Amino acid sequence: MHIDETAPSLETYPKYINRERSLLEFNRRVLAQAKNPDIPLLERLKFLCISCTNMDEFFEVRLASLHELENDPAARTNPDGMVPQEAVHMLNDVAHEVVEDQYHTLNNVLIPELEKENIRFLRRNHWTEQHKEWIRNYFIDSLHPVLSPMGLDPSHPFPKVLNKSLNFIVSLEGKDAFGRSNGLAIVQVPRSLPRLIKLPSEATDGENDFVFLSSVLHANVATLFPGMTVTGCYQFRVTRNTNLFIDEEEVEDIMRALKGELSGRQYGGAIRLEVADNCPRHMVDYLLDQFQLDEEDLYQVNGPVNLHRLNAVPDMVGRPDLLFTPYSPKQLNQQKPNKSFRLFHRKKEPETLFERIHRKDLLLHHPYDAFTPVIDFLKQAASDPDVLAIRMTLYRTGEDSAIIDALEKAARNGKEVTAVIELRARFDEDTNIIQATRLQDAGVHVVYGVVGYKTHAKMILIVRREGDKLRHYTHLGTGNYHHITTRFYTDFGLFTANPKIGRDASKIFQQLTSLGESKGLEVLLQSPFTLQTGMIERIRREAEHASQGKSARIIAKMNGLQEKGIIDALYEASQAGVKIDLIVRGMCSLRPGLPGLSENITVTSIVGRFLEHHRVYYFENSPAHPELYCSSADWMGRNLLSRVETCFPILDPDCFQQVYTEGLAIYLEDNCNAWILQADGSYVQRTPEGSVPFSAQQALIEKYSQ
C-alpha cells in the first residue's frame, strides 16, 4: 500500500482525540446551522439556542468533572491520557472561541436577518419616547414589586447566586438611608420573570418588537436605590457544578439520598462566570474573587448572558413561514387487510397489536413513525384480560406521560406490573422521583436499577396467556420512552414475539429485580457483561475475514465513540483492510485517516433538523451471514462498562433491510447535513459539488409522507 509522505501520521497527532474537545467540535457544527442560509431563519435562531444549552451542560457536567479530578495526581482523561489541568486549560481556550462565535452569529448574522423580517430587538439607544414610557410603566408595575436589591455591607454579605440565574452588579455613589457609603449592590432576577418582553401595539410601531429584561432593568435600576446615584449596572451569570455525589454503597434509600442532593445542585462549585463586556475591570475582579474563579473561567459577552432565552421568539412572533414545514408522523394502520368475510358479513374487528406482532416483527422509525403504537401497546396490555404481567424500564418519560398512565391503569386492573426506574437520569431526577412515587401508589413494583450502574436499557416485556401457553411480547428501543423527544429524536423501536428475544428480556428483568445473574442469553447482548466483548469479537471477526481475502465491512451509527477497547479493535480492523464507515453524531475519540492505523476508516457526523439518536451496528460477516444490531448503548465507556444496556439483533428480513437502508446506507449518501472528521480532529462539511443535493432526513420525511 502506498503511504503518502505528506499525510498526517502518529508522529503528527496522538492516537486518540480528547472526548471533551470533540464535544466542543460538535457544538461548532450545531452553531454552523445557525449560519446556514438554507435553513429557515427562526430555525437558525433555535440552533443558536441549542448551542448555548449545549455549552451550559458542557461547563456544568464535563468541565466540572475535570475540575473534580485536578487534585488527584494520578488522574488522566480517557482515552487520550491528558492531565486534567492541561485538559481544562485547552478546553477553556476552545470554549472561548465557541462563545465568541455564538455572539458574533447573533449580532452580525441573525439580528440583521431578523430585522429584515421586521423582528427587532430594540437596544436602549434606539428607544423612542413611546417605548420609554411603556417600558417605565412595565418596570413599575411588573418588575419593581418582585425585585429585591441587596446593598453589600458586613450585615449584607455577597448573596448566594443560583446556577445560571440572571444577576446584576450595581455600582453606587452617595449615602444610603443610614448615612453610609456602600459602593456596590446585587440585584437578583427571579426566574419567574420573562427575559424577553414583546412590546404591545400601543408601545411601538413594529409588529414584532422586543426588549431584553436586562435592558429594562438597566434603564430603571436607579429607582431601586432612592437617594443614591447609580454609576454602573452590569449583568452577570455563574455556571455551577451540577454533578450529584451519592455514595451508593453507604446509603440505604437512594431516593431519599437523591432528594437531599438535588436541593443543593443549584449551589455547586462555580465553574464559569459570564459578564457583560463593558463591565469595569475592578468589578470583574471582584466577581471572580467572590466565586473563586480564575481568568480563564471568565467569559465577557456582547449581549444577553443567556442566549437560550431567545428560544421563546419563534412562538411569540407567529411566523410559520420562517420555520420548517410542519411534519406529521406516519400513523400505524392497525386494521387487517380485508381478505375474507365473516359469517353474515359482520364488520371485522380491528387487529390488536398483539395479533400483528404475533404474525410478524414490527419496526417503528421515529420521528417519521408516530410514537402512538408504543403507548397503545401498553394501553391494550392494561385492558387485555389475557395479559398477566408487564415489565418496563424507564430512563426518561417526561411529565404528563401517557406511559405512566397506562402502567397505573394496568396495576389497578390487577396486572403484575414492574417498573425499573432510573432515578439518576441527569436533569430528570425530580421528574423520575415523582413518577416513581406515582407508580408505587398505584401498586406497581418499582425498583431503581442496580447500585453503581445506571439502567439505560429501553425494554418493555408483556407476558400474555394464549391457549395453554404463555407468550412474550417485547419492545426494544434505541431511545427513551418520552413522548416529546420522540418528535425530534431519530430512533428505532422493535416489537417482536420472537421467543428467544422474549426469554432474554425476561432474564434481564429478573436480574434487575432479584440482582441474580442473567447467564445464558441467547441473542441479546447486555452491558456491562457481554456487549463490549461481543462488539469487539465481531470487529475482530471482520478483520480475520479481511486477512483471509474475504469481503469485510463494518458500518456503525451512534451518538458517541470513546471506549478505548472498541477504538483499538477498529484500528486493528482498518490495518487488516476492513472498510469501516462510522456515523457518529457527537464526540468521537477515534482519529481517522492516519496511514498505517486508520486509513480505511471514515467518520461522518449528521447534524440536521432532527437529533440523530439511533445506535445501529452492521457487520458483513462474509459471505452470507450479515449481522445487524440496534442498541440503547453508544460505544462509550460508560455505556459499555458501567450501565445496564441492551443490544438486540434484527432477525426479521424486512426489518433488517429497513434498518440497514434507513439507519445506515441513506446517511452515507448525505451531502447536505454531513460533516467529515479530519485527522486533526476538525470537521469539514460535505457539499454536493455539482451533484444533486441529498439530505437523508429530508428523504425520509418524503418517504414517510407518501
Side-chain angles (χ1 to χ4, degrees), residues 252-267:
E252 295 181 1
D253 186 333
I254 193 171
M255 179 184 282
R256 184 179 301 171
L258 193 58
K259 285 181 178 179
E261 280 292 305
L262 286 172
S263 62
R265 166 178 271 174
Q266 298 298 331
Y267 296 105

Side-chain angles (χ1 to χ4, degrees), residues 96 273-275 281 284 288 294-300:
H96 275 93
L273 173 66
E274 297 169 277
V275 66
R281 186 67 225 189
V284 170
L288 287 173
D294 298 325
E295 186 70 21
E296 68 175 353
D297 306 316
L298 171 66
Y299 289 76
Q300 293 190 274

Side-chain angles (χ1 to χ4, degrees), residues 138 237 278 347 372 450 460 470 497 504:
Y138 177 85
R237 179 177 182 251
N278 62 342
K347 183 178 179 181
T372 312
V450 182
I460 302 172
L470 299 181
D504 282 357

Side-chain angles (χ1 to χ4, degrees), residues 34 86 200 204 252 256 263 287 337 394 418 507 511 556 582 599 695 706:
E86 294 177 357
T204 188
E252 295 181 1
R256 184 179 301 171
S263 62
L287 290 173
L394 293 168
T418 301
K507 289 179 182 178
Q511 177 201 68
L582 304 175
E599 68 266 41
S695 162
Q706 291 176 358

Side-chain angles (χ1 to χ4, degrees), residues 26 59 139 261 322 392 531 562:
F26 167 67
F59 285 100
F139 177 84
E261 280 292 305
L322 300 180
M392 185 174 187
L531 181 45
Q562 168 267 330

Side-chain angles (χ1 to χ4, degrees), residues 93-149:
D93 287 343
V94 179
H96 275 93
E97 295 174 4
V98 175
V99 170
E100 184 177 349
D101 196 7
Q102 286 176 325
Y103 283 89
H104 179 272
T105 301
L106 172 67
N107 294 318
N108 299 300
V109 179
L110 292 178
I111 285 180
E113 291 294 322
L114 289 165
E115 286 181 352
K116 294 177 184 177
E117 297 293 341
N118 296 315
I119 300 170
R120 302 187 299 174
F121 302 100
L122 303 178
R123 296 184 180 272
R124 280 183 295 152
N125 56 354
H126 292 155
W127 290 355
T128 65
E129 288 303 318
Q130 182 185 19
H131 294 145
K132 292 176 182 177
E133 181 180 359
W134 186 90
I135 289 168
R136 187 182 307 111
N137 291 331
Y138 177 85
F139 177 84
I140 293 171
D141 295 338
S142 301
L143 300 186
H144 193 285
V146 296
L147 295 174
S148 298

Side-chain angles (χ1 to χ4, degrees), residues 439-543:
L439 291 174
Q440 285 175 324
D441 291 344
V444 174
H445 301 297
V446 177
V447 295
Y448 308 134
V450 182
V451 170
Y453 296 87
K454 283 188 179 182
T455 301
H456 193 248
K458 281 60 179 201
M459 300 189 297
I460 302 172
L461 178 65
I462 293 175
V463 182
R464 190 172 188 266
R465 181 190 292 113
E466 296 181 358
D468 60 352
K469 64 174 62 175
L470 299 181
R471 186 179 298 277
H472 291 136
Y473 290 89
T474 311
H475 177 272
L476 297 157
T478 65
N480 299 306
Y481 293 112
H482 194 300
H483 63 289
I484 300 297
T485 60
T486 56
R487 299 174 190 171
F488 55 89
Y489 281 28
T490 69
D491 277 303
F492 285 118
L494 176 71
F495 291 104
T496 182
N498 184 289
K500 293 181 179 180
I501 290 178
R503 286 193 294 266
D504 282 357
S506 181
K507 289 179 182 178
I508 294 173
F509 274 112
Q510 187 173 6
Q511 177 201 68
L512 291 172
T513 55
S514 73
L515 303 181
E517 295 184 4
S518 61
K519 286 185 176 179
L521 296 183
E522 298 175 67
V523 292
L524 296 188
L525 299 173
Q526 181 197 6
S527 291
F529 306 109
T530 59
L531 181 45
Q532 185 221 29
T533 56
M535 291 290 103
I536 290 177
E537 286 171 5
R538 285 159 178 79
I539 294 169
R540 287 176 176 166
R541 184 183 60 196
E542 294 299 313

Side-chain angles (χ1 to χ4, degrees), residues 376-426:
D376 291 343
F377 186 53
L378 289 168
K379 285 182 175 179
Q380 290 179 21
S383 302
D384 189 335
D386 293 323
V387 168
L388 305 180
I390 302 172
R391 301 185 180 104
M392 185 174 187
T393 59
L394 293 168
Y395 191 73
R396 301 186 197 276
T397 62
E399 300 175 4
D400 302 320
S401 170
I403 294 281
I404 301 297
D405 294 342
L407 294 176
E408 276 188 317
K409 181 178 179 181
R412 298 188 193 283
N413 285 347
K415 314 297 182 187
E416 185 78 4
V417 183
T418 301
V420 182
I421 299 182
E422 182 48 71
L423 296 181
R424 296 157 297 178
R426 193 183 301 277

